[in-house]
Amino acid sequence: MRIFSRLYEWVLQLSRHNKAPYYLSGLSFAESSFFPIPPDVMLAPMSLARPKKAVWFAFLTTLASVVGGVAGYLIGTLAFDLVEPLLHQYGYYDRYLKAVDWFDAWGFWAIFLAGFSPIPYKIFTITAGAISMAFLPFVIASFIGRGGRFFLVALLMAWGGEKMEEKLHHIVDWLGWGLVILVVAGAAVYKLMGTA
């Protein structure tokens, strides 16, 4: 079943579209405040397809992501009462409470880590607004964390070039199904630990 290779081919075609930077910006903005899909899924193939523009794509992704983070911050500041029921409904409330704990323990570094890592950044942007984190440190940590991550992804893909694109094309189905298995196994372990 070549589901992932077809999806990969579609994303590569989309990444070569002349409006791809707009799609990338929109995805980056949305992911930082409410959308679940990270911009890396577009940034990586765009950097592979057009390596000379990888730095520009990384900058664009970082800027749009930080602006989206500011939107998340404003949601937390101005509309947390409206968002809180949704956090409960979609199972994010425990993550929100964990983010509050991280802010208590780490402050500035919580946003930096959330920006750089696969941790859902949007939870931290909303939490930063809800707990009234100082705005300027929030923006600085977001730029450093998000920028570090997106420039790393873009430059690695640009460095790999056509050879990496060709290798990925051959193994993408194995990678995709392997990731599915890991996610299912992780969810099962998490559920077992919760019931123990």
Side-chain angles (χ1 to χ4, degrees):
M1 295 206 336
R2 294 172 40 90
I3 295 170
F4 296 100
S5 55
R6 287 190 194 114
L7 183 61
Y8 176 69
E9 287 166 14
W10 178 75
V11 170
L12 273 178
Q13 285 178 345
L14 186 64
S15 70
R16 289 181 172 98
H17 193 276
N18 62 351
K19 297 223 188 276
Y22 297 108
Y23 303 146
L24 178 63
S25 298
L27 177 60
S28 302
F29 175 88
E31 184 268 341
S32 295
S33 48
F34 63 88
F35 196 64
I37 298 174
D40 309 63
V41 298
M42 270 200 82
L43 175 62
M46 285 176 68
S47 299
L48 271 173
R50 292 153 68 180
K52 290 181 180 172
K53 291 201 161 196
V55 169
W56 167 246
F57 294 148
F59 173 75
L60 195 61
T61 306
T62 301
L63 185 61
S65 182
V66 172
V67 172
V70 169
Y73 183 95
L74 292 173
I75 289 169
T77 302
L78 304 173
F80 187 73
D81 291 341
L82 297 173
V83 173
E84 188 175 5
L86 295 173
L87 293 175
H88 284 286
Q89 182 179 346
Y90 293 108
Y92 282 105
Y93 196 74
D94 288 341
R95 292 181 192 174
Y96 163 73
L97 293 176
K98 192 166 282 196
V100 170
D101 290 342
W102 276 43
F103 276 110
D104 287 343
W106 304 100
F108 172 93
W109 296 105
I111 281 290
F112 168 78
L113 288 171
F116 190 80
S117 72
I119 296 168
Y121 176 61
K122 71 189 114 317
I123 295 293
F124 283 82
T125 65
I126 293 168
T127 304
I131 65 166
S132 300
M133 177 183 181
F135 184 71
L136 187 58
F138 167 80
V139 172
I140 292 169
S142 293
F143 262 112
I144 295 169
R146 297 259 95 178
R149 172 178 165 170
F150 297 138
F151 276 89
L152 180 65
V153 167
L155 292 173
L156 281 174
M157 293 298 109
W159 172 74
E162 288 180 21
K163 287 181 184 177
M164 185 174 285
E165 183 178 334
E166 192 175 313
K167 284 179 186 174
L168 277 174
H169 186 74
H170 289 298
I171 64 168
V172 73
D173 284 305
W174 287 101
L175 288 173
W177 286 114
L179 184 61
V180 168
I181 290 167
L182 282 173
V183 168
V184 169
V189 168
Y190 179 78
K191 201 167 191 177
L192 286 172
M193 290 176 67
T195 58

